[in-house]
Amino acid sequence: MCGIFGCLCEGAPSILLQGLKRLEYRGYDSVGIALINGKDLVVEKNKGKIDEFISGLDEARLKGEIGVGHTRWATHGAPSKENAHPHLDCSKRIAVVHNGVLENFLQIKEELVRRGHTFSSRTDSEVIPHLIEEYMNEGLTLKDALIKSMERVKGSAAIAVISTVEPNKIFCYRRESPLIVGIGDNGVFCASDIPAIMPYTRRVMVVPEDRLVILERGSIHVEDLKGVTYETEFTEITWDLELAEKGGYPHFMIKEIFEQPRAIRDTLKIPTVFLDKAARLMRGRIYLIGSGTSYHACLSTSYTASALIDMEMRPVISSEFADALLSLEDSTVIAVSQSGETADTLNAVKHAKSKGARIVGITNTLGSSITTLSDAYICTQSGPEIGVAATKTFLTQLVALDLLLLRLGLISGKLSEPEHDLITKELSNLPGMVEQILSRSNRVKDLALKYSTKENAFFLGRGANVATALEGALKLKEISYIHAEGYPAGESKHGPISLVEPNFLCVFIAPRDRTRDRIIGNIMEMKARGAEVFSVITEGDKELKEISDEYFEVPISSEILYPILCTVPLQLLAYYAATFRGFDPDKPRNLAKSVTVL
Ligand code: M6R
């Protein structure tokens, strides 16, 4: 996920920078702009956050009334000045900013290099200006060369292109990635989302899929790749800016919960080459380490590894790793961290490395400290997560780890190809299943209202869903301040049950998996003591519906998907409970998004 912005107006340099600032939530590892100043293309870009970038700019150089800019969240190529957008062609006449992922860029890049093009970055995006240049060298106009290029590249792309060849236009194109254009009294604009252009105009159009849009002073022209022209249909934006930045949602957390189908879809596309590199390192003793929610992903995966590929992987909380005095000779440590900067996990990784362990990093932040310390890394594709509570990054960690187990199973011979393919197919159904759960979020909202006056809750599960229970309890306590404990359901009778009295809330994670029948026993134990039982169950499970006071159904799936599916209603429960209790779920007290102290 990246942010793109373009404008054709007076004062373009400062408007570009302001627009990019509003898009920083979409990516903040590098930033860049290009402006047309007479016959020249002025380009400034660098690694780092936008404020650092602005303070290092020579403003006297920034002139012009047409410009494009980009905030980057790295997918191909680590954060660096070279990999920052805009990217240029060889003759430095064409500047392109891109948001998306090009699937066939390697093949195109090889061809272009053979034809004499010189690349300066490791990004997929840089093929676009070179491809346009190549077609222009064959005699096509800029517009036709752009159309041909977009027909040639596969994958997602929202782009904005400026060129000294046609210095009065911005060419935009959209496929899958979002793109908005707008027209105001003082100029025309394009951006990845509405808030970026709202201070300049409220007359906007969401660019339809597969359309080319040409911005000129006072006009916006829309056509498809075959040259058929379409009428521009503007909408007048009436929301306020703060709401718009959250895509219309009241908080980042709920926006991010609803982004999960997209985040999973993108994570399912992690190239096999990254997974295989990591899988080939996984020999000897295998440890899974992480903190907080990331540790829960480790715990869940340890169960999946035994069940799916009969391999033992030991989950360890990062802050306990060094003190556990584990044997690290011939070992592999899989370090899981959304930010890639958590001090406890970094410390554990450094300790493991010093003892000779191989490191596989799984983060959502390419270029973070953990990726640089790892022998192989896998980048989850959640996009930036702003809410302090980890939601979409947890689900994508589980998906990435499942994909890794599948490749490891195949490579080690623990899984046959048909078995591997079958589970891969099941994973591909996940986004749709999560969408289905989200479409019933109001049911959880009602329950959250009912439970929002509780002061205590147990979250209980068995097997991999012990991790789901821990995660559900962590979410509820950290943002709603209801005291919640996650426990293995079978262990609850060894002490915690003494707290249960009439109306004590017990949330059971009880899908139809190998643990279901024993969970029923645990539910009965709690009910016998007057507990109020809310169960997350598999669609159509009559028996569980009857014995639970309230229930939420998740779609029928294979066992390994249940920890992912059952987490979603628990995230919603925590979110709505926090809001009913009057707390800001995005900024829970005493917590930070990235915990960089030991
Ligand atoms: O960035 P990391 O995944 O390493 O962060 C680890 C924990 O601090 C984090 O998962 C924390 O528990 C969540 N924000 C809780 O929702």
Side-chain angles (χ1 to χ4, degrees), residues 415-487:
L415 279 183
S416 65
E417 280 218 24
E419 283 167 332
H420 169 277
D421 294 351
L422 183 72
I423 301 161
T424 307
K425 190 158 180 295
E426 284 172 0
L427 280 171
S428 72
N429 294 329
L430 255 179
M433 290 179 173
V434 173
E435 258 156 24
Q436 202 206 106
I437 293 172
L438 291 171
S439 71
R440 288 180 283 120
S441 62
N442 276 341
R443 163 88 184 119
V444 186
K445 193 173 178 179
D446 292 344
L447 291 173
L449 179 60
K450 177 170 167 188
Y451 299 144
S452 60
T453 51
K454 301 273 180 207
E455 287 309 322
N456 296 289
F458 277 151
F459 283 69
L460 304 167
R462 282 177 175 261
N465 284 313
V466 169
T468 317
L470 289 172
E471 178 58 10
L474 174 63
K475 282 298 87 95
L476 187 69
K477 76 178 112 185
E478 71 175 328
I479 59 167
S480 77
Y481 314 139
I482 294 174
H483 173 235
E485 294 300 329
Y487 241 87

Coordinates of all heavy atoms in Angstrom, one line a residue, residues 415-487:
L415 N 4.1 -33.4 3.1 CA 2.8 -33.2 2.4 C 2.9 -33.6 1.0 O 4.0 -33.2 0.3 CB 2.4 -31.7 2.4 CG 1.7 -31.0 3.6 CD1 1.4 -29.6 3.3 CD2 0.5 -31.8 4.0
S416 N 1.9 -34.2 0.4 CA 2.0 -34.6 -1.0 C 1.5 -33.3 -1.8 O 0.9 -32.4 -1.2 CB 1.1 -35.7 -1.3 OG -0.2 -35.4 -1.0
E417 N 1.8 -33.3 -3.1 CA 1.3 -32.2 -3.9 C -0.2 -32.0 -3.8 O -0.7 -30.9 -3.6 CB 1.8 -32.3 -5.3 CG 3.2 -31.8 -5.4 CD 3.5 -31.0 -6.7 OE1 2.5 -30.4 -7.3 OE2 4.6 -31.0 -7.1
P418 N -1.0 -33.1 -3.9 CA -2.5 -32.9 -3.8 C -2.9 -32.4 -2.5 O -3.8 -31.5 -2.4 CB -3.0 -34.3 -4.1 CG -1.9 -35.1 -4.8 CD -0.6 -34.4 -4.3
E419 N -2.2 -32.8 -1.4 CA -2.6 -32.3 -0.1 C -2.3 -30.8 0.0 O -3.1 -30.0 0.5 CB -1.8 -33.0 1.0 CG -2.3 -34.4 1.3 CD -1.3 -35.2 2.2 OE1 -0.1 -35.0 2.1 OE2 -1.8 -36.1 2.9
H420 N -1.1 -30.5 -0.5 CA -0.7 -29.0 -0.5 C -1.7 -28.2 -1.3 O -2.1 -27.1 -0.8 CB 0.7 -29.0 -1.1 CG 1.2 -27.6 -1.4 ND1 0.8 -26.9 -2.6 CD2 1.9 -26.7 -0.7 CE1 1.3 -25.7 -2.6 NE2 2.0 -25.5 -1.5
D421 N -2.1 -28.7 -2.4 CA -2.9 -27.9 -3.3 C -4.3 -27.8 -2.7 O -5.0 -26.7 -2.8 CB -3.1 -28.6 -4.7 CG -1.7 -28.5 -5.4 OD1 -0.8 -27.8 -4.9 OD2 -1.6 -29.2 -6.4
L422 N -4.8 -28.8 -2.0 CA -6.1 -28.8 -1.4 C -6.2 -27.7 -0.3 O -7.1 -26.9 -0.3 CB -6.4 -30.2 -0.8 CG -7.8 -30.3 -0.2 CD1 -8.9 -30.3 -1.3 CD2 -7.9 -31.5 0.7
I423 N -5.1 -27.7 0.5 CA -5.1 -26.7 1.6 C -4.9 -25.3 1.0 O -5.6 -24.3 1.5 CB -4.1 -27.0 2.7 CG1 -4.4 -28.4 3.2 CG2 -4.1 -26.0 3.8 CD1 -3.3 -29.1 3.9
T424 N -4.1 -25.2 0.0 CA -3.9 -23.8 -0.6 C -5.3 -23.4 -1.1 O -5.6 -22.2 -1.0 CB -2.9 -24.0 -1.8 OG1 -1.8 -24.6 -1.3 CG2 -2.6 -22.6 -2.4
K425 N -6.1 -24.3 -1.7 CA -7.4 -23.9 -2.2 C -8.3 -23.4 -1.1 O -9.0 -22.4 -1.2 CB -8.0 -25.1 -3.0 CG -9.2 -24.7 -3.7 CD -9.5 -25.7 -4.9 CE -10.7 -25.3 -5.6 NZ -11.9 -25.3 -4.8
E426 N -8.2 -24.1 0.0 CA -9.0 -23.7 1.2 C -8.7 -22.3 1.7 O -9.5 -21.5 2.0 CB -8.9 -24.7 2.3 CG -9.7 -26.0 2.0 CD -9.5 -27.1 3.0 OE1 -8.7 -26.9 3.9 OE2 -10.1 -28.2 2.8
L427 N -7.3 -22.1 1.7 CA -6.9 -20.8 2.1 C -7.4 -19.7 1.2 O -7.7 -18.6 1.7 CB -5.4 -20.7 2.1 CG -4.6 -21.3 3.4 CD1 -3.1 -21.4 3.1 CD2 -4.9 -20.5 4.6
S428 N -7.6 -20.0 -0.1 CA -8.0 -19.0 -1.0 C -9.5 -18.6 -0.7 O -10.0 -17.6 -1.2 CB -7.8 -19.4 -2.5 OG -8.8 -20.4 -2.7
N429 N -10.2 -19.4 0.0 CA -11.6 -19.1 0.4 C -11.7 -18.2 1.6 O -12.8 -17.7 1.9 CB -12.4 -20.4 0.7 CG -12.5 -21.3 -0.5 OD1 -12.6 -20.8 -1.6 ND2 -12.5 -22.6 -0.3
L430 N -10.6 -18.0 2.3 CA -10.6 -17.2 3.5 C -11.2 -15.8 3.3 O -12.0 -15.4 4.1 CB -9.2 -17.1 4.0 CG -8.8 -17.9 5.2 CD1 -7.4 -17.7 5.6 CD2 -9.7 -17.6 6.4
P431 N -10.7 -15.0 2.3 CA -11.2 -13.6 2.3 C -12.7 -13.6 2.2 O -13.4 -12.8 2.9 CB -10.6 -13.1 1.0 CG -9.3 -13.9 0.8 CD -9.7 -15.3 1.3
G432 N -13.3 -14.4 1.4 CA -14.8 -14.5 1.3 C -15.4 -14.8 2.6 O -16.5 -14.3 3.0
M433 N -14.8 -15.8 3.3 CA -15.4 -16.2 4.6 C -15.3 -15.0 5.6 O -16.3 -14.8 6.4 CB -14.6 -17.4 5.2 CG -14.9 -18.7 4.4 SD -13.9 -20.0 5.1 CE -14.5 -21.4 4.2
V434 N -14.2 -14.3 5.6 CA -14.1 -13.2 6.6 C -15.1 -12.1 6.2 O -15.7 -11.5 7.1 CB -12.6 -12.7 6.6 CG1 -12.5 -11.4 7.4 CG2 -11.7 -13.7 7.1
E435 N -15.3 -11.9 4.9 CA -16.3 -10.9 4.5 C -17.6 -11.3 5.0 O -18.4 -10.4 5.5 CB -16.3 -10.9 2.9 CG -15.6 -9.7 2.3 CD -15.2 -9.9 0.9 OE1 -15.7 -10.8 0.2 OE2 -14.2 -9.3 0.5
Q436 N -17.9 -12.6 4.9 CA -19.2 -13.0 5.4 C -19.4 -12.7 6.9 O -20.5 -12.3 7.3 CB -19.3 -14.5 5.1 CG -20.7 -15.1 5.1 CD -20.8 -16.5 5.4 OE1 -21.2 -16.8 6.5 NE2 -20.3 -17.4 4.5
I437 N -18.3 -13.0 7.7 CA -18.4 -12.7 9.1 C -18.6 -11.2 9.3 O -19.5 -10.8 10.1 CB -17.1 -13.2 9.8 CG1 -17.0 -14.7 9.8 CG2 -17.0 -12.6 11.2 CD1 -15.7 -15.3 10.2
L438 N -17.9 -10.4 8.6 CA -18.0 -8.9 8.8 C -19.4 -8.4 8.4 O -19.8 -7.4 9.0 CB -16.9 -8.2 7.9 CG -15.5 -8.4 8.4 CD1 -14.5 -7.9 7.4 CD2 -15.2 -7.8 9.8
S439 N -20.0 -9.1 7.5 CA -21.3 -8.6 7.0 C -22.3 -8.8 8.2 O -23.4 -8.2 8.2 CB -21.8 -9.4 5.8 OG -22.1 -10.7 6.2
R440 N -21.9 -9.6 9.2 CA -22.8 -9.8 10.4 C -22.3 -9.1 11.6 O -22.5 -9.5 12.7 CB -23.0 -11.3 10.6 CG -23.9 -11.9 9.5 CD -24.1 -13.4 9.8 NE -23.0 -14.1 9.4 CZ -22.3 -14.9 10.3 NH1 -22.6 -15.0 11.5 NH2 -21.2 -15.6 9.9
S441 N -21.5 -8.0 11.4 CA -20.9 -7.3 12.5 C -21.9 -6.7 13.5 O -21.7 -6.6 14.7 CB -20.0 -6.2 12.0 OG -20.7 -5.2 11.3
N442 N -23.1 -6.4 13.0 CA -24.1 -5.8 13.9 C -24.6 -6.8 15.0 O -24.9 -6.4 16.1 CB -25.4 -5.4 13.1 CG -25.2 -4.0 12.5 OD1 -24.3 -3.3 13.0 ND2 -25.9 -3.7 11.5
R443 N -24.5 -8.1 14.7 CA -24.8 -9.1 15.7 C -23.8 -9.0 16.9 O -24.2 -9.0 18.1 CB -24.8 -10.5 15.1 CG -24.7 -11.6 16.0 CD -26.1 -12.1 16.4 NE -26.0 -13.2 17.3 CZ -26.4 -13.2 18.6 NH1 -27.1 -12.1 19.0 NH2 -26.3 -14.2 19.4
V444 N -22.5 -8.8 16.6 CA -21.5 -8.7 17.6 C -21.7 -7.3 18.3 O -21.5 -7.2 19.5 CB -20.1 -8.8 17.0 CG1 -19.1 -8.8 18.1 CG2 -19.9 -10.0 16.1
K445 N -22.1 -6.3 17.5 CA -22.3 -5.0 18.2 C -23.4 -5.1 19.3 O -23.2 -4.5 20.4 CB -22.7 -4.0 17.1 CG -22.7 -2.6 17.5 CD -23.0 -1.7 16.3 CE -23.0 -0.3 16.7 NZ -23.2 0.6 15.5
D446 N -24.5 -5.8 19.0 CA -25.5 -6.0 20.0 C -25.0 -6.7 21.2 O -25.3 -6.3 22.3 CB -26.7 -6.8 19.4 CG -27.4 -6.0 18.3 OD1 -27.2 -4.8 18.2 OD2 -28.1 -6.7 17.5
L447 N -24.2 -7.7 21.0 CA -23.7 -8.4 22.1 C -22.7 -7.6 22.9 O -22.7 -7.6 24.2 CB -22.9 -9.7 21.7 CG -23.9 -10.8 21.1 CD1 -23.1 -11.9 20.5 CD2 -24.8 -11.3 22.2
A448 N -21.9 -6.8 22.2 CA -20.9 -5.9 22.9 C -21.7 -4.9 23.8 O -21.2 -4.6 24.9 CB -20.1 -5.2 21.9
L449 N -22.8 -4.4 23.3 CA -23.6 -3.5 24.1 C -24.0 -4.2 25.4 O -23.9 -3.7 26.5 CB -24.8 -3.0 23.4 CG -25.7 -2.0 24.1 CD1 -25.0 -0.8 24.5 CD2 -26.9 -1.7 23.2
K450 N -24.5 -5.4 25.3 CA -24.9 -6.2 26.4 C -23.8 -6.5 27.4 O -24.0 -6.4 28.6 CB -25.5 -7.5 25.9 CG -26.0 -8.5 26.9 CD -26.7 -9.6 26.2 CE -27.0 -10.8 27.1 NZ -27.5 -12.0 26.5
Y451 N -22.6 -6.8 26.9 CA -21.5 -7.1 27.8 C -20.7 -5.9 28.2 O -19.7 -6.1 29.0 CB -20.6 -8.1 27.1 CG -21.2 -9.4 26.7 CD1 -20.9 -10.1 25.5 CD2 -22.2 -10.0 27.5 CE1 -21.5 -11.3 25.1 CE2 -22.8 -11.2 27.1 CZ -22.5 -11.8 25.9 OH -23.1 -13.0 25.6
S452 N -21.0 -4.8 27.7 CA -20.1 -3.6 28.0 C -20.1 -3.2 29.5 O -19.2 -2.4 29.9 CB -20.4 -2.4 27.1 OG -21.8 -2.1 27.3
T453 N -21.1 -3.7 30.2 CA -21.1 -3.3 31.7 C -20.3 -4.4 32.5 O -20.2 -4.2 33.7 CB -22.5 -3.2 32.2 OG1 -23.2 -4.5 31.8 CG2 -23.2 -2.1 31.5
K454 N -19.8 -5.4 31.9 CA -19.1 -6.5 32.6 C -17.8 -5.9 33.1 O -17.2 -5.1 32.4 CB -18.8 -7.7 31.8 CG -20.1 -8.4 31.2 CD -20.6 -9.4 32.2 CE -21.9 -10.0 31.6 NZ -22.8 -10.5 32.7
E455 N -17.3 -6.4 34.2 CA -16.0 -6.0 34.7 C -14.9 -7.1 34.5 O -13.7 -6.9 34.6 CB -16.0 -5.6 36.1 CG -16.7 -4.3 36.4 CD -16.2 -3.1 35.5 OE1 -15.0 -3.1 35.2 OE2 -17.0 -2.3 35.0
N456 N -15.4 -8.4 34.2 CA -14.5 -9.5 34.0 C -15.0 -10.4 33.0 O -16.2 -10.5 32.7 CB -14.4 -10.3 35.3 CG -13.8 -9.5 36.5 OD1 -12.6 -9.2 36.5 ND2 -14.7 -9.1 37.4
A457 N -14.0 -11.1 32.3 CA -14.4 -12.2 31.4 C -13.3 -13.2 31.2 O -12.1 -12.9 31.3 CB -14.7 -11.5 30.0
F458 N -13.7 -14.4 31.0 CA -12.8 -15.5 30.6 C -13.0 -15.7 29.1 O -14.1 -15.7 28.6 CB -13.1 -16.8 31.3 CG -12.5 -16.9 32.7 CD1 -13.2 -17.7 33.7 CD2 -11.3 -16.2 33.1 CE1 -12.7 -17.8 35.0 CE2 -10.8 -16.3 34.3 CZ -11.5 -17.1 35.3
F459 N -11.9 -16.0 28.4 CA -11.9 -16.5 27.1 C -11.3 -17.8 27.1 O -10.1 -18.0 27.5 CB -11.1 -15.5 26.1 CG -11.8 -14.2 25.8 CD1 -12.0 -13.3 26.8 CD2 -12.3 -14.0 24.5 CE1 -12.7 -12.1 26.5 CE2 -12.9 -12.8 24.2 CZ -13.2 -11.9 25.2
L460 N -12.0 -18.8 26.6 CA -11.5 -20.2 26.8 C -11.6 -21.0 25.4 O -12.5 -20.9 24.7 CB -12.4 -20.9 27.8 CG -12.4 -20.2 29.2 CD1 -13.5 -20.8 30.1 CD2 -11.1 -20.3 29.9
G461 N -10.5 -21.7 25.1 CA -10.5 -22.5 23.9 C -9.5 -23.7 24.1 O -8.9 -23.8 25.2
R462 N -9.5 -24.5 23.2 CA -8.5 -25.7 23.2 C -7.7 -25.7 21.9 O -8.2 -25.2 20.9 CB -9.3 -27.0 23.4 CG -9.8 -27.2 24.8 CD -10.7 -28.5 24.8 NE -11.0 -28.8 26.2 CZ -10.4 -29.7 27.0 NH1 -9.4 -30.4 26.5 NH2 -10.8 -29.9 28.2
G463 N -6.6 -26.5 22.0 CA -5.8 -26.6 20.8 C -5.3 -25.3 20.3 O -5.1 -24.3 21.1
A464 N -5.3 -25.1 19.0 CA -4.8 -23.8 18.4 C -5.7 -22.7 18.9 O -5.3 -21.5 18.9 CB -4.9 -23.9 16.9
N465 N -6.9 -23.0 19.3 CA -7.8 -21.9 19.7 C -7.6 -21.4 21.2 O -8.3 -20.5 21.7 CB -9.3 -22.2 19.5 CG -9.6 -22.1 18.0 OD1 -9.2 -21.1 17.4 ND2 -10.2 -23.1 17.4
V466 N -6.6 -22.0 21.8 CA -6.1 -21.4 23.1 C -5.5 -20.1 22.7 O -5.7 -19.0 23.4 CB -5.0 -22.3 23.8 CG1 -4.3 -21.5 24.9 CG2 -5.6 -23.6 24.3
A467 N -4.8 -20.0 21.6 CA -4.2 -18.8 21.1 C -5.3 -17.8 20.7 O -5.2 -16.6 21.0 CB -3.3 -19.0 19.9
T468 N -6.3 -18.3 20.1 CA -7.5 -17.4 19.8 C -8.1 -16.8 21.0 O -8.4 -15.6 21.1 CB -8.5 -18.2 19.0 OG1 -7.9 -19.0 18.0 CG2 -9.5 -17.3 18.3
A469 N -8.2 -17.6 22.1 CA -8.8 -17.2 23.3 C -7.9 -16.1 24.0 O -8.3 -15.1 24.4 CB -8.9 -18.3 24.3
L470 N -6.5 -16.3 23.9 CA -5.6 -15.4 24.5 C -5.7 -14.0 23.7 O -5.7 -13.0 24.3 CB -4.2 -15.9 24.4 CG -3.8 -17.0 25.3 CD1 -2.4 -17.6 25.0 CD2 -3.9 -16.6 26.8
E471 N -5.8 -14.2 22.4 CA -5.9 -13.0 21.6 C -7.2 -12.2 21.8 O -7.2 -11.0 21.9 CB -5.8 -13.3 20.1 CG -5.9 -12.2 19.1 CD -4.9 -11.1 19.3 OE1 -3.9 -11.2 20.1 OE2 -5.0 -10.0 18.6
G472 N -8.3 -12.9 21.9 CA -9.6 -12.3 22.2 C -9.6 -11.5 23.5 O -10.1 -10.4 23.7
A473 N -9.0 -12.2 24.5 CA -8.9 -11.5 25.9 C -8.0 -10.3 25.8 O -8.3 -9.3 26.4 CB -8.4 -12.6 26.9
L474 N -6.9 -10.4 25.1 CA -5.9 -9.3 25.0 C -6.6 -8.1 24.4 O -6.6 -7.0 24.8 CB -4.7 -9.7 24.2 CG -3.7 -8.6 23.9 CD1 -3.1 -8.0 25.2 CD2 -2.6 -9.1 23.0
K475 N -7.4 -8.4 23.3 CA -8.0 -7.3 22.5 C -9.0 -6.6 23.5 O -9.1 -5.4 23.6 CB -8.8 -7.8 21.3 CG -8.1 -8.1 20.1 CD -7.3 -7.0 19.4 CE -6.0 -6.9 19.9 NZ -4.9 -7.5 19.2
L476 N -9.8 -7.4 24.2 CA -10.9 -6.8 25.0 C -10.3 -6.0 26.1 O -10.7 -4.9 26.4 CB -11.8 -7.9 25.6 CG -13.0 -7.4 26.4 CD1 -14.0 -6.7 25.4 CD2 -13.7 -8.5 27.1
K477 N -9.2 -6.6 26.8 CA -8.7 -5.8 28.0 C -8.0 -4.6 27.5 O -8.1 -3.5 28.2 CB -7.9 -6.7 28.9 CG -6.5 -7.1 28.4 CD -5.8 -7.9 29.4 CE -5.6 -9.3 28.9 NZ -5.0 -10.3 29.8
E478 N -7.2 -4.6 26.4 CA -6.3 -3.5 26.1 C -7.1 -2.3 25.6 O -6.6 -1.2 25.8 CB -5.2 -3.9 25.1 CG -5.7 -4.1 23.7 CD -4.5 -4.4 22.8 OE1 -3.4 -3.8 23.0 OE2 -4.7 -5.1 21.8
I479 N -8.3 -2.5 25.1 CA -9.0 -1.3 24.6 C -10.3 -0.9 25.3 O -10.7 0.2 25.3 CB -9.3 -1.3 23.1 CG1 -10.1 -2.5 22.7 CG2 -8.0 -1.3 22.3 CD1 -10.6 -2.4 21.3
S480 N -10.9 -1.9 26.0 CA -12.1 -1.6 26.7 C -11.9 -1.5 28.2 O -12.8 -1.1 28.9 CB -13.2 -2.7 26.4 OG -13.0 -3.8 27.2
Y481 N -10.7 -2.0 28.6 CA -10.4 -2.0 30.1 C -11.3 -2.9 30.9 O -11.4 -2.8 32.1 CB -10.3 -0.6 30.7 CG -9.6 0.4 29.8 CD1 -10.0 1.7 29.6 CD2 -8.4 0.0 29.1 CE1 -9.3 2.6 28.7 CE2 -7.7 0.9 28.2 CZ -8.2 2.2 28.1 OH -7.5 3.0 27.3
I482 N -11.9 -3.9 30.2 CA -12.6 -4.9 31.0 C -11.6 -6.0 31.3 O -10.8 -6.4 30.4 CB -13.8 -5.6 30.1 CG1 -14.9 -4.6 29.8 CG2 -14.3 -6.8 30.8 CD1 -15.9 -5.1 28.8
H483 N -11.5 -6.4 32.5 CA -10.5 -7.4 32.8 C -10.8 -8.7 32.2 O -11.9 -9.3 32.5 CB -10.4 -7.5 34.4 CG -9.5 -8.6 34.8 ND1 -9.8 -9.7 35.6 CD2 -8.2 -8.9 34.4 CE1 -8.8 -10.5 35.7 NE2 -7.8 -10.0 35.0
A484 N -9.9 -9.2 31.3 CA -10.2 -10.4 30.6 C -9.0 -11.4 30.6 O -7.9 -10.9 30.5 CB -10.6 -10.1 29.1
E485 N -9.3 -12.6 30.8 CA -8.2 -13.6 30.8 C -8.4 -14.7 29.8 O -9.5 -15.2 29.7 CB -8.1 -14.3 32.2 CG -7.7 -13.4 33.4 CD -6.4 -12.8 33.2 OE1 -5.5 -13.4 32.6 OE2 -6.2 -11.6 33.6
G486 N -7.4 -15.0 29.0 CA -7.5 -16.1 28.1 C -6.9 -17.3 28.8 O -5.9 -17.2 29.5
Y487 N -7.5 -18.5 28.6 CA -7.0 -19.7 29.3 C -7.3 -20.9 28.4 O -8.3 -20.9 27.7 CB -7.8 -19.9 30.6 CG -7.0 -19.8 31.8 CD1 -6.7 -18.6 32.4 CD2 -6.5 -21.0 32.4 CE1 -5.9 -18.6 33.6 CE2 -5.7 -21.0 33.5 CZ -5.4 -19.8 34.1 OH -4.6 -19.8 35.2

